[in-house]
C-alpha cells in the first residue's frame, strides 16, 4: 500500500483549513471536495484539477467542521459562531440554520441512512441529534460522568466533546472527549453503552472501519492512533509514529489502510496488520487538520484518492494504491 502525491492547491483559503470532506457522487455530478476554513468560508472543489467551483459564505467566525449527506445533494458546516448551516450543494441555498449555545458546535456527521445529523456538543458534554426531514432537535446523548465523581467545572470541561463517528449500520455513535475517553451510544434507544479508554489526551477524530463495524479507530493529541473492538470494549492496537498531536484519521474504503494528519505537518499511511506507519508525506508546511479518503462510487473513477488540508492554507490530493 502506498500514497502517491497527485496535486496541491496552495492558497486555497485566506486562512487555515481546519476541515474537509468528500461530497458523494450523484447521477449529475462526480464526487466533489468540500473544505472549511478559519476565513469563515466553505469552498467546493473539483478534484480532477482542484479548480474552485463555489465559495459559500454565511458564517461570521471560522468553520471547524463540514459534513456531506450520503445523497451528495446537501451538506452542513459548523462554525465557532455556534451555528450549523445546512445547504444545497448545487445551488448553495440555505436549507436550515441550527443554533447552539456558545462552544457547543464541533464536529458533525450525517448517519449512513441520511436521516440524522449528529453534532459534537463541545462544552455541553453531549452529542445533539437533528433529524434531516424537518431539521428538528430529536435527541441529546449526554456523556455520563464516572461514578463517584462529583460535578465540578473541571470535570465538566474534561468531557468536552470534540469528535463523532457513526457505525456503518447507523446503530451506534462514538464520540471523543477532551479527557481522552471515547463514549459509545445505542442511538435508537438513546442509551449510553460504555466508555473506551486508552488515550491520555483529547480525542480529535474517530472513524469506524467500513468493512468491520466493530472496529473503531481514533486519533489523539497523545500521538497515538488506537483501534478498538467496540463490542468487546477492548483496545487491541495502539500505534505511534507522529512526533506530535494526531488531528485527523480516516480509513480506506477497503479497510486495509489508515491515514492520519498531524500537527507534525505530515500525512501518514498506516498498515494496521503491521501495526505501523508505512509512509509519511511531507508536502504540507504546517499542521494537517483533515484527511479523508474519497468514497467509492461515481463513473470513471478507477483509483482511490485521499485529500488533506492544513494550516498552511493548502489542499493536497494523493492516489492510494
Amino acid at each position: 500500500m502506498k500514497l502517491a502525491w497527485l496535486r496541491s492547491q496552495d492558497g486555497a483559503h485566506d486562512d487555515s483549513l481546519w476541515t474537509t470532506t468528500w461530497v458523494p457522487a450523484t447521477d449529475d455530478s462526480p464526487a466533489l471536495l468540500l473544505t472549511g476554513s478559519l476565513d469563515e468560508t466553505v469552498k467546493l472543489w473539483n478534484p480532477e484539477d482542484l479548480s474552485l467551483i463555489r465559495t459559500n459564505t454565511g458564517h461570521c467566525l471560522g468553520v471547524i467542521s463540514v459534513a456531506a449527506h450520503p445523497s451528495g445533494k446537501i451538506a452542513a458546516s459548523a462554525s465557532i459562531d455556534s451555528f450549523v448551516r445546512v445547504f444545497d450543494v448545487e445551488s448553495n441555498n440555505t436549507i436550515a440554520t441550527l443554533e447552539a449555545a456558545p462552544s457547543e458546535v464541533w464536529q458533525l456527521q450525517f448517519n449512513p441512512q441520511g436521516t440524522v445529523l449528529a453534532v459534537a456538543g463541545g462544552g455541553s458534554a453531549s452529542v445533539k441529534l437533528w433529524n434531516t426531514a424537518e431539521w428538528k432537535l430529536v435527541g441529546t446523548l449526554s456523556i455520563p460522568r464516572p461514578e463517584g465523581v462529583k460535578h465540578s467545572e473541571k470535570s465538566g470541561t474534561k468531557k468536552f466533546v470534540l469528535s463523532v463517528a457513526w457505525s456503518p449500520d447507523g446503530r451506534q455513535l462514538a464520540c471523543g472527549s477532551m479527557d481522552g475517553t471515547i463514549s459509545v451510544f445505542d442511538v435508537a434507544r438513546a442509551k449510553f453503552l460504555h466508555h473506551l479508554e486508552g488515550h491520555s489526551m483529547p480525542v480529535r477524530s474517530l472513524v469506524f472501519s467500513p468493512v468491520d463495524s466493530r472496529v473503531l479507530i481514533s486519533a489523539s493529541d497523545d500521538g497515538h492512533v488506537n483501534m478498538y473492538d467496540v463490542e468487546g470494549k477492548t483496545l487491541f492496537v495502539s500505534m505511534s509514529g507522529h512526533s506530535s498531536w494526531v488531528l485527523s484519521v480516516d480509513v480506506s474504503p477497503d479497510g486495509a489502510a489508515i491515514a492520519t494528519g498531524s500537527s507534525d505537518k505530515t500525512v501518514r499511511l498506516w498498515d494496521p496488520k503491521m501495526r505501523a506507519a508505512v509512509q509519511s508525506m511531507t508536502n504540507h508546511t504546517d499542521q494537517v487538520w483533515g484527511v479523508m479518503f474519497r468514497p467509492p462510487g461515481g463513473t470513471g473513477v478507477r483509483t482511490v484518492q485521499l485529500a488533506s488540508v492544513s494550516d498552511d492554507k493548502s489542499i493536497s490530493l494523493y492516489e492510494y494504491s
Side-chain angles (χ1 to χ4, degrees):
M1 62 178 67
K2 70 174 198 283
L3 291 174
W5 177 84
L6 288 173
R7 61 191 68 90
S8 293
Q9 178 61 260
D10 293 328
H13 282 264
D14 294 335
D15 207 332
S16 299
L17 280 81
W18 275 7
T19 177
T20 189
T21 195
W22 290 89
V23 179
T26 66
D27 293 340
D28 307 317
S29 169
L32 302 171
L33 196 63
L34 201 63
T35 57
S37 166
L38 211 49
D39 70 6
E40 304 171 11
T41 69
V42 172
K43 293 188 178 185
L44 190 65
W45 307 86
N46 180 345
E48 300 314 310
D49 55 4
L50 283 180
S51 56
L52 180 64
I53 298 171
R54 189 180 304 108
T55 299
N56 300 355
T57 56
H59 288 294
C60 58
L61 287 170
V63 177
I64 46 178
S65 184
V66 288
H69 190 271
S71 68
K73 296 185 183 300
I74 62 174
S77 55
S79 165
I80 309 168
D81 64 13
S82 299
F83 286 96
V84 173
R85 179 175 179 262
V86 184
F87 57 93
D88 181 285
V89 171
E90 192 177 354
S91 69
N92 186 29
N93 290 338
T94 300
I95 294 169
T97 303
L98 316 177
E99 188 177 0
S103 86
E104 290 189 6
V105 173
W106 292 85
Q107 243 179 50
L108 63 169
Q109 193 177 43
F110 289 95
N111 68 340
Q113 294 76 22
T115 55
V116 177
L117 176 66
V119 181
S124 65
S126 67
V127 176
K128 301 281 197 293
L129 304 176
W130 301 80
N131 75 6
T132 59
E134 301 163 323
W135 301 106
K136 288 183 178 171
L137 185 64
V138 291
T140 299
L141 305 176
S142 296
I143 295 171
R145 289 185 298 280
E147 290 176 16
V149 176
K150 288 184 179 176
H151 180 64
S152 68
E153 277 302 308
K154 199 169 179 186
S155 68
T157 54
K158 285 182 181 173
K159 288 297 178 195
F160 193 104
V161 183
L162 292 166
S163 50
V164 288
W166 289 93
S167 61
D169 60 12
R171 292 181 179 179
Q172 293 187 344
L173 189 74
C175 56
S177 292
M178 198 77 96
D179 65 354
T181 59
I182 297 164
S183 306
V184 182
F185 293 89
D186 176 322
V187 178
R189 293 188 294 159
K191 186 184 179 198
F192 169 77
L193 297 177
H194 49 260
H195 287 304
L196 299 171
E197 297 185 346
H199 285 300
S200 58
M201 291 174 73
V203 177
R204 299 217 178 239
S205 185
L206 293 166
V207 63
F208 277 88
S209 166
V211 296
D212 186 347
S213 60
R214 295 171 303 175
V215 175
L216 178 70
I217 302 143
S218 59
S220 168
D221 286 6
D222 63 17
H224 286 81
V225 178
N226 285 354
M227 298 179 71
Y228 296 90
D229 176 342
V230 173
E231 287 181 15
K233 311 178 197 177
T234 54
L235 167 65
F236 66 91
V237 173
S238 185
M239 303 182 291
S240 59
H242 283 294
S243 61
S244 189
W245 301 356
V246 191
L247 302 172
S248 181
V249 65
D250 198 23
V251 60
S252 58
D254 62 6
I258 294 167
T260 53
S262 166
S263 53
D264 69 8
K265 309 176 188 175
T266 68
V267 172
R268 292 191 187 223
L269 190 70
W270 306 75
D271 183 339
K273 289 183 178 172
M274 290 175 58
R275 304 189 173 199
V278 293
Q279 193 175 3
S280 181
M281 307 298 285
T282 57
N283 45 291
H284 285 296
T285 58
D286 210 333
Q287 303 190 104
V288 181
W289 277 103
V291 290
M292 180 80 66
F293 282 99
R294 183 174 181 159
T299 54
V301 180
R302 293 181 296 279
T303 60
V304 175
Q305 293 176 342
L306 176 76
S308 62
V309 297
S310 165
D311 266 344
D312 66 12
K313 308 177 189 174
S314 79
I315 306 166
S316 285
L317 277 183
Y318 317 85
E319 183 176 288
Y320 161 71
S321 58

